[in-house]
Amino acid sequence: MIDQLWEYLVVAGVLLVAIVVGLAAFLRPGRGGRTKDLPKPAPKPTPTPGPCPDTGDDHPTGGVDTLPAPTEPDVLEPDDVLLEEPPTPTLERPDSARGRLQRLRARLARSNTALGKGLLALLTRGGLDEAAWEEVEDTLLAADLGVDATTELVDSLRSQVAVDGTRDDATVRGWLRTDLLALVDPGMDRAVASHRVGDRPAIVLVVGVNGTGKTTTVGKLARVLVAEDKDVILGAADTFRAAAADQLETWGARVGVPTVRSHKDGADPAAVAFDAVKAGIELEADVVLLDTAGRLHNKTNLMDELGKIKRVVEKQAPIDEVLLVLDATTGQNGLRQAEVFASVVGITGIVLTKLDGTAKGGIVVAVQRKLGVPVKLVGLGEGPDDLAPFDPEAFVDAILA
């Protein structure tokens, strides 16, 4: 009997445990049991309009104004889309080169007028003895006129003073003007080759030592030619100075002139010059301007390279003009440079830069006599149109101003 009672108690205990475990599993969330829906929040009461306590206007009490719903932006149809053309770069129109030296006379006179005034002061004072004539000679030599030209001028002036005996300023000024103009030689051909020759462009090679402003001169010369309605092509054959080609290209772009260049550092300058001439022939340009690297006149290998450029270019077309760029402030050293360049490439004309920055205007006479070629262009400032065709009369008048 007791055994049966214990059996009933064990079975009842097992059932009780089973019921407890079942209830726990049923009530545990996330284990397959049903989740109860959360009660929905009671709707907020709609505010009733009432007067605003500050203004008295009707306004929803405690409410917030609502903004209107955003509208979709208007969408342009394909036919309505306007495509703007990129702006065309504005090209500069250089000043006319005609009479440019006349306009720049003041700059030349500021630096060289001391020469004229010094001579006039010496010649118009009384008692021209040997000591006074030596002062005249020293003044002319200091202006880099050169020994031969100085001797000629002094001899001429002494003869006129001895014959006429006049000392007034106007007469002496007239003598000086006549004699100086004869020394500058207005009869020399100073035109720069810029016309097509048959079926090809004129070829102009520009040479010089470092620091004379050669690349700038080429860029300014392009402006002079554009002002004369010439079609110009630039050749950047200075491949040694890193910024030379970029500098030349910038000069050309300002007036719509293309530049043939190499983007490889240290490229063969003769090859660049050759390609520039080839492009000039194909594009029927009027003139091709070839810039070359500055080189010291006493470096044989560099001068030989310049000769190579000339030979390579002339396989396509002869070179019509070789311009030597000289710094007017270098004086007699510039003459030595000129002689070496002339022996290598055959100079046909001189470009004197920085003539406004020196009182040694006599270099014009000296270099022409030394080389037998004319000064064709002079630089009288830093502006883009400050390169002027050389005008002998305007030059002498500026000295005597």
Side-chain angles (χ1 to χ4, degrees):
M1 190 69 178
I2 294 174
D3 292 336
Q4 289 182 346
L5 180 59
W6 278 107
E7 289 178 1
Y8 291 144
L9 289 174
V10 170
V11 171
V14 171
L15 290 174
L16 182 59
V17 171
I19 291 171
V20 171
V21 172
L23 287 174
F26 177 78
L27 295 176
R28 186 178 180 182
R31 291 292 181 177
R34 292 185 303 170
T35 58
K36 296 182 180 180
D37 293 335
L38 295 174
K40 294 182 179 180
K44 294 182 180 180
T46 303
T48 57
C52 179
D54 295 328
T55 64
D57 296 333
D58 287 340
H59 190 283
T61 304
V64 178
D65 290 338
T66 57
L67 296 175
T71 58
E72 291 293 329
D74 294 334
V75 179
L76 293 176
E77 296 297 328
D79 292 339
D80 297 329
V81 177
L82 299 178
L83 298 177
E84 294 186 2
E85 294 291 334
T88 303
T90 303
L91 297 180
E92 298 177 11
R93 183 63 184 174
D95 294 339
S96 172
R98 294 180 182 179
R100 189 178 286 185
L101 187 57
Q102 290 284 356
R103 297 195 298 274
L104 298 174
R105 258 182 61 178
R107 296 181 185 177
L108 185 60
R110 280 198 298 269
S111 57
N112 285 273
T113 190
L115 169 61
K117 288 181 177 179
L119 289 174
L120 287 171
L122 289 170
L123 295 170
T124 55
R125 77 187 188 187
L128 278 172
D129 53 14
E130 285 302 317
W133 284 114
E134 286 183 7
E135 283 188 61
V136 172
E137 288 184 355
D138 291 342
T139 301
L140 293 171
L141 290 172
D144 277 339
L145 193 65
V147 175
D148 293 340
T150 295
T151 301
E152 286 184 26
L153 181 56
V154 170
D155 288 346
S156 175
L157 290 172
R158 293 184 74 156
S159 296
Q160 294 177 84
V161 168
V163 171
D164 193 286
T166 306
R167 295 287 192 279
D168 66 276
D169 184 86
T171 302
V172 173
R173 186 184 296 271
W175 294 341
L176 272 175
R177 187 181 189 281
T178 300
D179 289 344
L180 285 173
L181 196 56
L183 290 175
V184 175
D185 194 355
M188 300 184 85
D189 181 11
R190 302 180 191 277
V192 176
S194 59
H195 299 282
R196 288 181 61 81
V197 182
D199 59 350
R200 67 171 181 84
I203 312 299
V204 178
L205 183 67
V206 183
V207 301
V209 301
N210 301 314
T212 57
K214 185 172 41 54
T215 299
T216 298
T217 296
V218 174
K220 290 183 178 182
L221 178 55
R223 295 177 67 91
V224 170
L225 297 175
V226 168
E228 296 176 355
D229 296 322
K230 300 295 183 182
D231 290 328
V232 183
I233 287 182
L234 299 176
D238 181 353
T239 59
F240 292 98
R241 187 164 62 90
D246 293 336
Q247 181 184 355
L248 191 63
E249 192 170 31
T250 299
W251 275 104
R254 292 168 66 178
V255 289
V257 171
T259 300
V260 176
R261 59 170 295 178
S262 172
H263 291 278
K264 179 183 177 183
D265 291 338
D268 183 3
V272 175
F274 183 91
D275 290 342
V277 173
K278 180 180 179 182
I281 294 173
E282 293 175 350
L283 297 175
E284 299 183 351
D286 293 314
V287 58
V288 177
L289 300 179
L290 300 175
D291 182 28
T292 59
R295 59 200 73 229
L296 296 176
H297 60 289
N298 55 2
K299 298 294 183 182
T300 305
N301 58 327
L302 295 179
M303 297 304 293
D304 289 345
E305 183 183 73
L306 191 59
K308 174 189 172 185
I309 294 174
K310 187 173 185 289
R311 291 192 302 273
V312 169
V313 167
E314 289 182 332
K315 291 180 180 179
Q316 290 191 95
I319 293 177
D320 302 285
E321 186 94 73
V322 180
L323 295 176
L324 173 64
V325 181
L326 286 178
D327 183 340
T329 64
T330 59
Q332 296 300 314
N333 188 46
L335 297 182
R336 288 190 289 274
Q337 297 171 10
E339 286 183 296
V340 177
F341 276 95
S343 66
V344 175
V345 288
I347 305 299
T348 60
I350 304 294
V351 182
L352 278 177
T353 61
K354 308 175 187 177
L355 192 58
D356 60 320
T358 177
K360 299 183 177 183
I363 188 68
V364 172
V365 174
V367 73
Q368 287 186 161
R369 287 192 163 219
K370 196 74 170 178
L371 299 181
V373 298
V375 171
K376 295 192 173 186
L377 298 156
V378 290
L380 295 168
E382 299 297 329
D385 293 323
D386 289 344
L387 183 71
F390 183 71
D391 181 339
E393 293 193 9
F395 174 73
V396 172
D397 288 342
I399 289 178
L400 299 176

